[in-house]
Amino acid sequence: MWRKIIWIAVAAVVAFSAWLLLREQKECCLCGSFRYHAPCLIDLKTGRLIELDLYFAHETKVAELAEEQPEQGSFSIIMLGNVSGYRDTSRKYIEVDVPIAEKTIDPALCKSCRKQINGIFAGRYVLADLYDNEKRRSFP
């Protein structure tokens, strides 16, 4: 009887380990993203992000600001997953409500990026600095 129980336990551990190794990995949303001049809010559950920008981008340079900023006065809604907020360019102000109680078990990050957020980070959203491709940083 004990032999059967041990073999079943070993088979379950091997099957679970194989599932962990062979499952389709999500693309890392930090390493695989474009360069942005403003901070980005990232949903680690889906890998989607939104740039929290207030200024006009340069017409030809990537992730650079326009040399002359036109007078602006727009108001827009920001939505990403369960995060909601608004952007008011006339006051140069962004406000978002991020539900900190939401967790994710399988964040869309590679191993090295998971280390930036302490590896066991379970929160669903992070703020990221994606301007420098060599020094991308994220903040819970």
Side-chain angles (χ1 to χ4, degrees), residues 23-83:
R23 67 188 167 126
E24 185 177 321
Q25 294 291 320
K26 296 178 185 175
E27 182 179 335
C28 181
C29 54
L30 289 178
C31 295
S33 70
F34 292 106
R35 183 175 170 218
Y36 295 94
H37 77 269
C40 295
L41 183 65
I42 301 178
D43 182 346
L44 294 178
K45 184 175 182 181
T46 63
R48 292 183 53 223
L49 66 85
I50 187 166
E51 184 180 19
L52 302 175
D53 60 337
L54 288 170
Y55 302 100
F56 281 99
H58 197 279
E59 291 181 16
T60 58
K61 297 178 182 175
V62 176
E64 297 296 332
L65 297 176
E67 292 166 7
E68 290 186 32
Q69 291 290 317
E71 191 66 35
Q72 36 182 346
S74 65
F75 181 89
S76 58
I77 302 296
I78 297 171
M79 296 195 72
L80 178 70
N82 292 328
V83 172

Side-chain angles (χ1 to χ4, degrees), residues 14 27-28 30 32 43 66 69 75 88 93 99 101 104 108 115 118 120 131 135 139:
V14 168
E27 182 179 335
C28 181
L30 289 178
D43 182 346
Q69 291 290 317
F75 181 89
D88 185 352
Y93 186 77
T104 184
K115 288 179 185 175
N118 299 328
I120 317 170
Y131 182 76
K135 297 177 186 172
F139 310 94

